[in-house]
Amino acid sequence: MTRFLFDIDGTLTDSRQKIDSNFETYMIDFCISNKVAFVTGSDKSKTIEQIGEKLFSSADYSFNCAGNEIWSKGHLVYKAEWEPGVEVVEYLQHLVDHSKFHTRTGNHIEIRNGMLNFSIIGRNCDSEQRKEYVEWDKSTSERERLQVKISARFDELDVFIGGETGLDIYPKGKNKEQVIDFLKVHEPSEKCYYFGDQIFKNGNDYNIAMRCDNRYQVRGWRDTYEILKF
Protein backbone atom coordinates (compact mmCIF):
# COMPACT_ATOMS: atom_id res chain seq x y z
CA MET A 1 0.00 0.00 0.00
CA THR A 2 1.25 3.46 -0.93
CA ARG A 3 0.76 6.60 1.13
CA PHE A 4 1.04 10.00 -0.53
CA LEU A 5 2.52 12.72 1.66
CA PHE A 6 2.07 16.33 0.58
CA ASP A 7 3.65 19.52 1.80
CA ILE A 8 1.10 22.30 1.28
CA ASP A 9 2.62 25.77 0.77
CA GLY A 10 4.35 25.75 -2.60
CA THR A 11 3.25 22.16 -3.28
CA LEU A 12 -0.56 22.12 -3.20
CA THR A 13 -0.94 25.92 -3.27
CA ASP A 14 1.00 28.96 -4.35
CA SER A 15 2.91 30.47 -1.45
CA ARG A 16 0.49 31.67 1.26
CA GLN A 17 -2.42 31.48 -1.23
CA LYS A 18 -5.64 29.46 -1.43
CA ILE A 19 -5.70 26.27 -3.43
CA ASP A 20 -6.90 26.45 -7.05
CA SER A 21 -10.58 25.43 -7.03
CA ASN A 22 -10.22 22.83 -9.79
CA PHE A 23 -7.17 21.31 -8.14
CA GLU A 24 -9.04 21.26 -4.81
CA THR A 25 -11.81 19.17 -6.40
CA TYR A 26 -9.20 16.85 -7.94
CA MET A 27 -7.44 16.39 -4.58
CA ILE A 28 -10.69 15.65 -2.72
CA ASP A 29 -11.40 12.89 -5.25
CA PHE A 30 -7.78 11.70 -4.97
CA CYS A 31 -8.20 11.30 -1.21
CA ILE A 32 -11.18 8.98 -1.74
CA SER A 33 -9.15 6.38 -3.61
CA ASN A 34 -5.70 6.89 -2.05
CA LYS A 35 -4.10 7.08 1.39
CA VAL A 36 -3.15 10.74 1.83
CA ALA A 37 -1.51 12.82 4.54
CA PHE A 38 -0.56 16.49 4.62
CA VAL A 39 2.74 17.54 6.20
CA THR A 40 3.04 21.26 6.83
CA GLY A 41 4.69 23.73 9.15
CA SER A 42 1.42 25.66 9.46
CA ASP A 43 -1.19 25.10 12.14
CA LYS A 44 -4.70 23.81 11.46
CA SER A 45 -6.35 27.20 10.99
CA LYS A 46 -3.79 28.41 8.43
CA THR A 47 -3.97 25.06 6.62
CA ILE A 48 -7.74 25.28 6.31
CA GLU A 49 -7.43 28.87 5.05
CA GLN A 50 -5.33 27.52 2.19
CA ILE A 51 -6.91 24.17 1.28
CA GLY A 52 -10.40 24.37 2.80
CA GLU A 53 -12.15 22.33 5.48
CA LYS A 54 -13.39 19.63 3.10
CA LEU A 55 -9.97 18.74 1.71
CA PHE A 56 -8.37 19.02 5.14
CA SER A 57 -10.82 16.47 6.55
CA SER A 58 -10.60 14.20 3.49
CA ALA A 59 -7.02 13.12 4.25
CA ASP A 60 -6.26 10.32 6.71
CA TYR A 61 -3.87 12.61 8.56
CA SER A 62 -2.78 16.21 8.64
CA PHE A 63 0.60 16.60 10.31
CA ASN A 64 0.56 20.25 11.25
CA CYS A 65 3.41 22.24 12.79
CA ALA A 66 5.82 19.70 11.22
CA GLY A 67 4.10 16.79 12.97
CA ASN A 68 3.99 18.44 16.38
CA GLU A 69 0.21 18.59 15.98
CA ILE A 70 -1.56 15.62 14.36
CA TRP A 71 -5.14 15.60 13.06
CA SER A 72 -6.99 12.55 11.74
CA LYS A 73 -10.20 13.09 9.77
CA GLY A 74 -10.59 16.45 11.51
CA HIS A 75 -9.90 15.17 15.05
CA LEU A 76 -6.84 16.14 17.11
CA VAL A 77 -4.86 13.02 18.10
CA TYR A 78 -1.54 14.52 19.27
CA LYS A 79 -0.17 17.89 20.34
CA ALA A 80 3.41 18.63 21.42
CA GLU A 81 4.25 21.08 24.16
CA TRP A 82 7.30 23.32 23.64
CA GLU A 83 8.16 26.95 24.15
CA PRO A 84 11.41 28.55 22.96
CA GLY A 85 13.51 30.06 25.72
CA VAL A 86 13.95 33.79 26.21
CA GLU A 87 17.50 33.60 24.87
CA VAL A 88 16.27 32.12 21.58
CA VAL A 89 13.59 34.76 21.10
CA GLU A 90 15.95 37.61 21.99
CA TYR A 91 18.58 36.34 19.55
CA LEU A 92 16.07 36.04 16.71
CA GLN A 93 14.89 39.58 17.39
CA HIS A 94 18.52 40.69 17.29
CA LEU A 95 18.82 39.12 13.82
CA VAL A 96 15.69 40.96 12.66
CA ASP A 97 17.02 44.27 13.98
CA HIS A 98 20.39 43.86 12.26
CA SER A 99 19.34 42.51 8.86
CA LYS A 100 20.28 44.76 5.95
CA PHE A 101 16.96 44.07 4.24
CA HIS A 102 15.00 47.31 4.55
CA THR A 103 11.37 46.21 5.07
CA ARG A 104 9.73 44.96 8.29
CA THR A 105 6.04 44.02 8.33
CA GLY A 106 5.57 42.39 11.75
CA ASN A 107 5.04 38.84 13.04
CA HIS A 108 8.71 37.92 12.66
CA ILE A 109 8.73 35.22 15.35
CA GLU A 110 5.57 33.10 15.21
CA ILE A 111 5.43 30.47 17.94
CA ARG A 112 3.38 27.39 17.03
CA ASN A 113 2.79 24.04 18.69
CA GLY A 114 6.20 22.41 19.05
CA MET A 115 8.04 24.84 16.74
CA LEU A 116 8.40 28.42 15.58
CA ASN A 117 8.58 30.17 12.24
CA PHE A 118 11.09 32.99 11.84
CA SER A 119 11.04 35.62 9.11
CA ILE A 120 13.15 38.74 8.62
CA ILE A 121 10.51 40.51 6.52
CA GLY A 122 7.68 39.20 8.71
CA ARG A 123 4.67 37.04 7.93
CA ASN A 124 2.46 40.13 7.51
CA CYS A 125 4.10 41.00 4.19
CA ASP A 126 1.98 41.40 1.09
CA SER A 127 2.70 39.67 -2.23
CA GLU A 128 4.89 42.48 -3.61
CA GLN A 129 6.94 42.71 -0.41
CA ARG A 130 7.29 38.92 -0.45
CA LYS A 131 8.61 38.97 -4.03
CA GLU A 132 11.11 41.66 -3.08
CA TYR A 133 12.42 39.58 -0.19
CA VAL A 134 12.60 36.43 -2.33
CA GLU A 135 14.85 38.28 -4.78
CA TRP A 136 16.94 39.66 -1.93
CA ASP A 137 17.37 36.21 -0.44
CA LYS A 138 18.39 34.75 -3.81
CA SER A 139 21.10 37.39 -4.24
CA THR A 140 22.38 37.40 -0.62
CA SER A 141 21.60 33.85 0.65
CA GLU A 142 20.45 35.54 3.85
CA ARG A 143 18.36 32.61 5.07
CA GLU A 144 21.22 30.17 4.55
CA ARG A 145 23.52 32.41 6.58
CA LEU A 146 20.93 32.81 9.32
CA GLN A 147 20.38 29.03 9.39
CA VAL A 148 24.09 28.53 10.05
CA LYS A 149 24.21 31.22 12.74
CA ILE A 150 21.18 29.96 14.66
CA SER A 151 22.26 26.31 14.44
CA ALA A 152 25.75 27.16 15.71
CA ARG A 153 24.41 29.15 18.67
CA PHE A 154 21.68 26.67 19.72
CA ASP A 155 22.79 23.09 19.10
CA GLU A 156 19.59 21.80 20.74
CA LEU A 157 17.54 23.15 17.82
CA ASP A 158 16.91 22.03 14.24
CA VAL A 159 16.76 24.94 11.78
CA PHE A 160 15.51 24.56 8.20
CA ILE A 161 14.63 26.87 5.31
CA GLY A 162 10.85 26.88 4.91
CA GLY A 163 8.57 28.52 2.37
CA GLU A 164 9.75 31.59 0.47
CA THR A 165 10.74 33.93 3.30
CA GLY A 166 11.14 31.99 6.53
CA LEU A 167 13.05 29.55 8.67
CA ASP A 168 11.37 26.73 10.61
CA ILE A 169 12.89 26.06 14.02
CA TYR A 170 12.17 23.03 16.22
CA PRO A 171 13.62 21.12 19.17
CA LYS A 172 16.18 18.65 17.84
CA GLY A 173 14.45 15.73 16.11
CA LYS A 174 11.02 17.36 16.06
CA ASN A 175 11.09 18.39 12.41
CA LYS A 176 8.97 16.86 9.62
CA GLU A 177 11.02 13.66 9.70
CA GLN A 178 9.16 12.60 12.87
CA VAL A 179 6.10 11.98 10.66
CA ILE A 180 7.83 8.92 9.19
CA ASP A 181 8.48 7.52 12.66
CA PHE A 182 4.78 7.92 13.46
CA LEU A 183 3.68 6.22 10.25
CA LYS A 184 6.15 3.33 10.64
CA VAL A 185 4.54 2.53 13.99
CA HIS A 186 0.94 2.80 12.79
CA GLU A 187 1.29 1.66 9.17
CA PRO A 188 4.58 -0.31 9.00
CA SER A 189 3.98 -1.90 5.59
CA GLU A 190 3.22 1.34 3.74
CA LYS A 191 5.45 2.81 1.07
CA CYS A 192 5.60 6.59 1.28
CA TYR A 193 5.73 9.00 -1.68
CA TYR A 194 6.59 12.58 -0.72
CA PHE A 195 5.82 15.80 -2.63
CA GLY A 196 7.52 19.01 -1.55
CA ASP A 197 9.11 22.23 -2.81
CA GLN A 198 11.98 22.32 -0.30
CA ILE A 199 13.71 18.97 -0.95
CA PHE A 200 17.27 20.26 -0.78
CA LYS A 201 19.93 20.28 1.91
CA ASN A 202 18.71 22.49 4.80
CA GLY A 203 15.21 22.67 3.28
CA ASN A 204 12.37 21.69 5.60
CA ASP A 205 11.23 18.89 3.25
CA TYR A 206 14.66 17.28 2.89
CA ASN A 207 14.88 14.99 5.93
CA ILE A 208 11.42 13.53 5.56
CA ALA A 209 11.76 13.13 1.78
CA MET A 210 15.00 11.19 2.15
CA ARG A 211 13.20 8.67 4.39
CA CYS A 212 10.47 8.04 1.81
CA ASP A 213 10.45 5.39 -0.91
CA ASN A 214 9.90 8.01 -3.61
CA ARG A 215 10.15 11.78 -3.56
CA TYR A 216 9.13 14.55 -5.94
CA GLN A 217 10.69 18.01 -5.88
CA VAL A 218 8.07 20.40 -7.27
CA ARG A 219 8.02 24.10 -8.12
CA GLY A 220 4.34 24.57 -7.33
CA TRP A 221 0.94 22.92 -7.36
CA ARG A 222 0.89 22.63 -11.16
CA ASP A 223 3.93 20.34 -11.01
CA THR A 224 2.17 18.25 -8.36
CA TYR A 225 -0.97 18.03 -10.49
CA GLU A 226 0.95 16.94 -13.59
CA ILE A 227 2.80 14.21 -11.68
CA LEU A 228 -0.39 12.85 -10.12
CA LYS A 229 -2.26 12.85 -13.43
CA PHE A 230 0.55 10.93 -15.11
Side-chain angles (χ1 to χ4, degrees):
M1 179 65 72
T2 299
R3 175 171 295 280
F4 293 86
L5 303 173
F6 297 96
D7 171 51
I8 291 179
D9 207 53
T11 301
L12 295 182
T13 73
D14 291 331
S15 184
R16 299 292 303 279
Q17 301 300 310
K18 292 184 178 181
I19 192 170
D20 175 85
S21 58
N22 291 329
F23 187 46
E24 178 185 7
T25 299
Y26 175 87
M27 285 302 303
I28 290 171
D29 290 340
F30 187 84
C31 288
I32 294 172
S33 54
N34 296 276
K35 303 188 80 171
V36 172
F38 304 128
V39 186
T40 173
S42 295
D43 60 18
K44 178 188 177 184
S45 63
K46 290 186 178 66
T47 300
I48 290 176
E49 283 179 12
Q50 288 190 269
I51 66 172
E53 179 75 53
K54 187 172 182 179
L55 178 54
F56 177 84
S57 299
S58 295
D60 300 308
Y61 294 106
S62 183
F63 296 95
N64 290 91
C65 304
N68 291 296
E69 183 180 290
I70 303 174
W71 296 81
S72 179
K73 296 295 184 180
H75 299 285
L76 181 65
V77 297
Y78 172 76
K79 178 180 177 181
E81 300 292 340
W82 175 75
E83 291 286 339
V86 173
E87 184 181 355
V88 173
V89 174
E90 289 181 346
Y91 183 66
L92 296 179
Q93 187 60 54
H94 168 81
L95 295 177
V96 172
D97 294 340
H98 289 81
S99 170
K100 293 182 180 179
F101 186 71
H102 54 78
T103 302
R104 305 289 186 276
T105 66
N107 197 14
H108 303 279
I109 305 167
E110 184 174 89
I111 299 172
R112 305 170 184 169
N113 289 328
M115 63 169 290
L116 67 82
N117 179 266
F118 173 60
S119 171
I120 292 294
I121 187 173
R123 291 183 59 82
N124 294 340
C125 63
D126 61 30
S127 59
E128 289 303 313
Q129 292 166 329
R130 172 180 294 275
K131 289 178 183 178
E132 190 175 1
Y133 184 80
V134 168
E135 292 305 313
W136 162 268
D137 188 48
K138 285 179 180 178
S139 64
T140 64
S141 300
E142 180 173 61
R143 289 191 297 170
E144 289 185 21
R145 292 185 287 105
L146 293 175
Q147 188 268 339
V148 171
K149 285 184 178 181
I150 299 166
S151 297
R153 190 177 183 97
F154 302 102
D155 60 7
E156 74 276 18
L157 300 178
D158 281 337
V159 185
F160 295 103
I161 292 171
E164 291 186 321
T165 65
L167 292 168
D168 288 338
I169 301 174
Y170 332 78
K172 189 72 75 175
K174 293 298 183 180
N175 58 72
K176 287 185 176 183
E177 185 179 1
Q178 67 181 316
V179 170
I180 301 300
D181 297 326
F182 176 91
L183 291 173
K184 292 300 182 186
V185 170
H186 292 82
E187 305 284 353
S189 63
E190 286 184 344
K191 290 187 176 181
C192 293
Y193 290 9
Y194 190 83
F195 290 72
D197 66 320
Q198 302 284 331
I199 305 176
F200 52 80
K201 195 68 173 177
N202 297 326
N204 67 358
D205 292 318
Y206 182 81
N207 286 32
I208 183 173
M210 292 303 105
R211 298 254 329 254
C212 290
D213 299 277
N214 284 291
R215 62 202 63 87
Y216 301 93
Q217 167 77 45
V218 299
R219 294 167 297 176
W221 68 267
R222 292 173 181 83
D223 282 359
T224 303
Y225 187 29
E226 289 301 317
I227 294 167
L228 293 177
K229 286 197 303 180
F230 180 81

